[in-house]
Amino acid sequence: MVEKYIRIKTDDILLNDLLVLTAPNGFGKTYAVAGAVAKLSSMKIFDRIYFLANSQDACGSIVQKLRHHNAKLVIWYEGIERSCMNKELLEVVEHLTGDPSLACLVCPYSILQQSKNREITPETLVRRVLKFFEERDVAVIRARDVKMYLLPNQEICGHSVIRALTLRPSLDFKIYLERLNVTPIFVAPFQLFLTYSTAQVFMKSAERLRKERRYLFVFDEADNLLLMGKVYTIEKPDFTDFDYEILNKLSPSTYRLSAFIDIYTKLFNIIAEGRKELSRYDSRIGVSDIKRQVHELLSSRTVERVVAGVCKRLRTILLEALKQMKRTFLFRAVESLNPFTLRLLKSYGVQEFVKYIDCDVVRRRKGSQVEEEVTAIRLQNFSIVSDMVFSNEKPIRKSQKVVVTATWCDDLMRRLFKVGAECVRVVRAVPDNVYFGRFVIYETGSRALESTVYGKGQFTYRVLYLIKKVIDVYAEKFGMKPSGVLVWFMSKRQFRAFLSVLREKRAKISIESDDLASITVAKVKVLLTYLGSRITRGVDLPDYDISIVLAPFLRPPRSFGARWLDCDYARAIFESIQAVMRIVRSPSPSRPKVVMLEDSLFKSPYKDYAPAWFVDFIKSGRKFIELDLVTAVSI
C-alpha cells in the first residue's frame, strides 16, 4: 500500500536552498507544497514568496490550494486581458502593436500615470491593501478586488496596482505586516520573470533595496520550461512607413534611431541565410561565418546606443501610433532585439551560436482571435532559465527555490543543470489501482513506414483494432466497460492523417477543436489528440479509464551538441508520460486505470530518460496487463 499523498514539511524547504520534488501524477505535489508555503507565510520568515506556474489556469488552481490551506495573504497576478478596465484601448493597442500589455504604458487608469500625477503612490497602495485585509476576511486579492473595494472612488485599474505590488520588491510589505504576522504570497506565471519588460521592472526595483531580503520562489510543473528554455522569436521584418517616420522624428542629433530597422533586418537575414548555407560547408566553418557576421554587426558602440535609444522611447512611439492610428512593427522587434538579447547574441560561442538557434514558421495572434503564420528565427536561451530556477542569486540575492516536477529524471537534471543529488527528492511510489501495458503497432520506427501506413490507411485500422482490443481486455479483467479512452498521437501530422482516413470511410467524428476530436468504439467514447497539444499538460481528465500513447517518436534530434540530443529525447519521454498519466489524479483511483505505451518507448535511446518513479511503475509486475501483441497489430 502506498502513501496516500506527499507530505512536505516547512523544514524541508527552510533547510535547503534548493529543493527539487519529483513524484507521480496525482500524488498531490502542488497541494503539499502549497500547504508548506501557507505555513511559511504565517511564520513570516521570508520577505516575499512567489508561487509561479506555466499558465493562468494553473495559477488559479494554485490559488485554490492555498485557500484550502488557509493562506492569509495571496496576491494573484492575472493576465491583463482578464482584468483590464479599459478594454477598448486594449484592443486598439493589440491591433496596432500585437502586444496588448503595452496599453498600461499610456492608459490613464494605470497606476503609472496616477503616480506621475502624484494622486496616489505605491506606498499608499500597500497601506490600503493591508488595511483592506485587516478589515475583511479576504485571503486572496485580485485586480477586481482592488477596483471594487480598495479604490472604489478612484479611476485606477486594478491590474496596474497588482502589477506594481508584484514587480516592485522595493515596496516593503514587512514594515506594514508587524500586526498581521504574515508574508505575502504572489501567484503569477513563469513568464513574468522571463519577459524583458516585466523582468526589467523587477530588477530595477530590486537594485534599490538597501537591506538584504530573503525570498522564496516556487516553480510548479517546471518541466517544459527547463526543456525549452527562454524562447526569443525574431520575426521576419515587417516594418511600416510609420516606423521610419517616427524613428527619424525622435532621433537625437548624434545618431539616427532609424538605423534600428537596418540592424534588425540585417540580423534576421544573416542568421536565416546562414542556416540555409550550413549544409554546403563543414558545420564548424559555416557556424564560424555566421558568428563573424553577427559580431561585425553588433559589436559597434553605435548599435548599443541605437537599441537602447529605441527602448527608452517606446511610450512616445506608442502615443504617436495611437494618435495617428498607425500599425507598427517596432514593439515586436524590440521584444526580440533589446539590450539584454543584444548581450545574449554577442556572447554565444562558435558551436553554441547555432546550437540554440533555429529557423521556423511560427503562429502568432492577429487581433483578438485569428492567428497567422510568420517566418521567424527562434533563439533559445537555457542559461537564463537555469539561473532563474536553480540559482540562489537570481532574480534576487538570497533566493531559495522549490522546483516541482513529475517527469524530470534526477540523472538528467544533474547532467544538464549541475543539480546536486542532495537537492533532489524522488517519491518512489506506484499508484494503486493503476495498471500498465505495452503494445507494438509499428513493425519498424522508420519514416518510410510511417508514410506508407498513412497512404494505405493500414495504420488507422491498426489503431482502431488496438482500441477495441484494450476495451475488451479492460472489460474482461475488471468486469465493467471503461468510461472512456484517450488516444495520444505522436504528432499533429499523425493525428490529422488518422482523421483523414476516417473521413474517407465516412466514419462519425466529433471535432471538439483544432487539436481535439472524438469517436465511438464499442459504445465507448474515445478522445483523440496529440502530444504537444494544449491538453497535454495542465488539463486533468479523470473521467477516462484508458490512456494510450502511440509511438514511435520520429522527432529527429537537433544537429548540434549533446544538449539538443538530451532535450529532444527527454521531451519525447516527458510529453508521453505527462499525457498518458492525465487520467491518474489520485494515488488510489476509485475505478481501475490502464496506461498503455508503444513498445518503442522502452528501447534506446528513449528508455534512459524516464523518471525514477516511472521506472518503478513499469517494473511492478503485479500491475502489468498482458496484451496479445501479435493479435493487436495484425489486420
Side-chain angles (χ1 to χ4, degrees), residues 47-48 168-173 202-215 395-397:
D47 294 277
R48 287 187 174 209
R168 295 190 179 186
S170 56
L171 294 179
D172 194 349
F173 277 64
F202 182 89
M203 297 305 296
K204 288 180 179 179
S205 179
E207 290 172 358
R208 293 197 292 269
L209 293 175
R210 297 180 180 179
K211 296 181 180 179
E212 189 173 71
R213 308 296 183 193
R214 188 179 182 185
Y215 284 12
I396 194 170
R397 291 189 63 188

Side-chain angles (χ1 to χ4, degrees), residues 430-483:
V430 180
D432 288 336
N433 214 18
V434 177
Y435 296 80
F436 164 76
R438 52 201 288 184
F439 60 91
V440 177
I441 202 167
Y442 289 90
E443 296 171 2
T444 175
S446 69
R447 284 182 176 274
L449 174 65
E450 184 186 18
S451 301
T452 303
V453 167
Y454 287 156
K456 296 181 178 179
Q458 187 180 12
F459 170 78
T460 302
Y461 297 139
R462 291 185 178 210
V463 173
L464 292 173
Y465 191 90
L466 172 65
I467 295 170
K468 176 66 166 58
K469 180 73 175 178
V470 178
I471 291 174
D472 291 342
V473 170
Y474 186 99
E476 180 181 349
K477 184 173 182 64
F478 304 115
M480 67 180 85
K481 277 197 171 185
S483 58

Side-chain angles (χ1 to χ4, degrees), residues 298-362:
L298 302 181
S299 58
S300 169
R301 173 64 179 165
T302 303
V303 170
E304 295 181 6
R305 286 198 301 171
V306 168
V307 172
V310 172
C311 291
K312 290 178 181 178
R313 293 167 174 82
L314 292 180
R315 184 173 181 273
T316 304
I317 294 172
L318 181 57
L319 285 171
E320 193 64 27
L322 289 169
K323 181 180 178 180
Q324 300 184 30
M325 290 301 293
K326 297 287 188 178
R327 190 185 67 82
T328 173
F329 184 74
L330 287 174
F331 293 93
R332 290 190 183 276
V334 165
E335 185 61 35
S336 304
L337 185 60
N338 51 61
F340 178 79
T341 52
L342 197 64
R343 293 193 299 270
L344 184 68
L345 282 165
K346 292 167 66 175
S347 66
Y348 276 119
V350 173
Q351 285 296 328
E352 286 76 7
F353 185 76
V354 175
K355 181 166 54 175
Y356 299 139
I357 292 180
D358 195 14
C359 294
D360 202 356
V361 174
V362 299

